């Protein structure tokens, strides 16, 4: 156990630039910790990051240990100034310049060929590196104070939902890292879009706030990784069996996503909830504002209005964690549209569910539990 210092940057919105004296002093201390090889959790515009010096292999090792993350899962290197990019990549392609002009600072991560300055510990043994310039002023200040290159995965224990509040970070990281900077609730709530620029055409590896359409406006043709498209296939089409049994961003209870017409979804979830409650389960529901008063369950949570995807994105991870706190053992969620930001929302929701999906339109279930459910 180490002592985790907690500082608050109360003025932290996404649009302020003037820190108080006290805040500046805290940010300088964060920088010293990073330069000495320690770990600092800090707010970004997407989710809280768990930062360490990206050019120090020991710092990266500590990040993996604190998260309980396998060390072959590479970290994102965060920078604050465009001029610093050339130090960590071997070549800057034209596409990177164009994307940076359009979306940096902001919620976009680019995969590029790494330079020798970046240790293999940071890239999980790959010769490519993920780079992002966040827009959150606290993140930018922490990166600059810390020497310019901060490796930061999401500040959660591996497998748990990413933190969108400092309280989530403390839940997972208290006693494991040197400092937590509390910047309040975060704006976007889902991790950055990742685009691989080492392949042609560029390929989206993780959907996020910067959508495929937005990237295509800048780059022309952009592909999406097959595992992302799988999310689309799981609602409204013949279901595909999941290729891998993985669970990410996951609550402790068993989460099932239900696709179909709203009325049918409510009816189905209520019937399952009744059964589960008879069986002694504590049942949670994730619903949209529009359908909320129709559900019967122990804990019913609104993720926002169906028409406000940015609100759904910002609330999703906090809701998944709240179910843990309330002890839900079975959770059902409505499915959301996969257009625009909806694609990122459904991608995370389906991963959280381990791809356990009921599609009422095709009347068939896919997921880990195929074989053992009647
Ligand atoms: O919004 C975000 O990106 C947040 C905040 C803190 O900036 N960070 C974040 O990091 O989500 P993390 O470590 O939770 O997710 C990084 C993802 C992982 O899925 C990792 O496999 C992938 O990026 N990644 C990193 N380097 C890569 C590389 N060289 N090639 C392919 N994927 C890479
Ligand atoms: Mg993560």
């Amino acid at each position: 156990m180490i002592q985790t210092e907690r500082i608050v940057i109360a003025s932290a919105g996404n649009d302020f630039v003037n820190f108080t004296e006290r805040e500046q002093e805290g940010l300088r201390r964060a920088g010293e910790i990073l330069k000495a090889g320690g770990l600092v959790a800090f707010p970004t515009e997407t989710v809280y990051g768990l930062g360490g010096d990206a050019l120090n292999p020991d710092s990266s090792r500590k990040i993996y240990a604190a998260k309980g993350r396998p060390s072959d899962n590479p970290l994102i290197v965060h920078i604050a100034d465009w001029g610093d990019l050339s130090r960590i990549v071997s070549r800057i392609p034209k596409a990177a310049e164009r994307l940076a002009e359009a979306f940096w600072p902001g919620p976009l991560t680019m995969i590029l060929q790494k330079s020798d300055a970046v240790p293999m510990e940071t890239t999980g043994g790959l010769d490519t590196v993920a780079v992002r310039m966040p827009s959150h002023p606290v993140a930018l200040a922490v990166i600059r104070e810390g020497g310019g290159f901060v490796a930061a995965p999401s500040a959660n224990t591996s497998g748990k939902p990413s933190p969108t509040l400092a309280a989530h970070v403390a839940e997972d990281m208290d006693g494991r890292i040197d400092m937590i900077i509390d910047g309040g609730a975060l704006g976007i709530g889902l991790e950055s879009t990742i685009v691989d620029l080492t392949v042609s055409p560029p390929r989206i590896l993780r959907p996020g706030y910067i959508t495929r359409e937005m990237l295509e406006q800048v780059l022309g043709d952009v592909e999406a990784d097959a595992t992302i498209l799988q999310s689309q296939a799981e609602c409204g089409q013949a279901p595909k069996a999941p290729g891998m049994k993985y669970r990410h961003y996951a609550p402790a209870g068993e989460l099932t996503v239900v696709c179909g017409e709203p009325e049918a979804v409510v009816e189905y979830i209520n019937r399952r909830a009744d059964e589960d409650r008879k069986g002694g389960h504590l049942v949670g529901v994730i619903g949209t504002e529009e359908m909320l008063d129709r559900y019967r369950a122990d804990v019913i949570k609104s993720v926002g209005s169906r028409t406000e995807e940015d609100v759904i994105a910002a609330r999703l991870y906090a809701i998944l964690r709240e179910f843990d706190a309330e002890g839900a053992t079975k959770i059902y969620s409505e499915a959301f549209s996969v257009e625009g930001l909806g694609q990122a929302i459904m991608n995370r929701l389906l991963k959280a569910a381990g791809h356990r999906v009921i599609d009422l339109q095709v009347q068939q279930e896919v997921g880990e539990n195929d074989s053992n459910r009647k």
Side-chain angles (χ1 to χ4, degrees), residues 55-76:
L55 308 187
N56 179 347
D58 286 336
S59 299
S60 293
R61 278 190 214 107
K62 280 190 202 165
I63 290 175
Y64 289 114
K67 275 181 70 81
R69 172 167 173 158
S71 59
D72 61 354
N73 192 356
L75 307 174
I76 296 175

Side-chain angles (χ1 to χ4, degrees), residues 188 305-314 336-343 345:
I188 294 179
S305 167
R306 188 160 282 278
T307 56
E308 293 179 316
E309 285 181 335
D310 48 344
V311 175
I312 298 178
F336 308 102
S337 142
V338 291
E339 297 302 312
L341 181 55
Q343 183 170 92
I345 295 169

Side-chain angles (χ1 to χ4, degrees), residues 46 49 69 73-74 76 78 128 130 132 153-154 191-192 194 206:
T46 57
R69 172 167 173 158
N73 192 356
I76 296 175
H78 294 66
T128 55
R132 161 159 131 81
S154 48
E191 305 84 348
S192 62
I194 301 181
R206 180 173 73 183

Side-chain angles (χ1 to χ4, degrees), residues 16 292 298 326 355:
F16 74 102
L292 212 64
D298 299 297
E326 298 181 76
H355 290 263

Side-chain angles (χ1 to χ4, degrees), residues 30-40 50-69 71 75-77 119-123 146 149-153 176-178:
E32 279 156 25
I33 292 170
L34 290 170
K35 285 190 270 191
L39 303 185
V40 175
L50 175 54
D53 179 356
L55 308 187
N56 179 347
D58 286 336
S59 299
S60 293
R61 278 190 214 107
K62 280 190 202 165
I63 290 175
Y64 289 114
K67 275 181 70 81
R69 172 167 173 158
S71 59
L75 307 174
I76 296 175
V77 179
M120 285 292 183
E121 281 78 359
T122 300
T123 64
F149 305 93
V150 173
R176 294 170 166 267
I177 63 177
D178 301 282

Side-chain angles (χ1 to χ4, degrees), residues 203-247:
R203 173 173 302 175
I204 299 171
L205 303 184
R206 180 173 73 183
Y209 187 81
I210 306 291
T211 62
R212 181 178 185 169
E213 294 70 30
M214 291 160 80
L215 294 172
E216 280 182 335
Q217 270 176 17
V218 177
L219 295 182
D221 194 25
V222 174
E223 278 182 358
D225 195 72
T227 58
I228 300 170
L229 296 172
Q230 190 188 331
S231 320
Q232 288 176 318
E234 277 175 320
C235 284
Q237 292 179 27
K240 266 194 241 167
M244 277 195 303
K245 269 175 72 163
Y246 53 17
R247 236 178 145 218

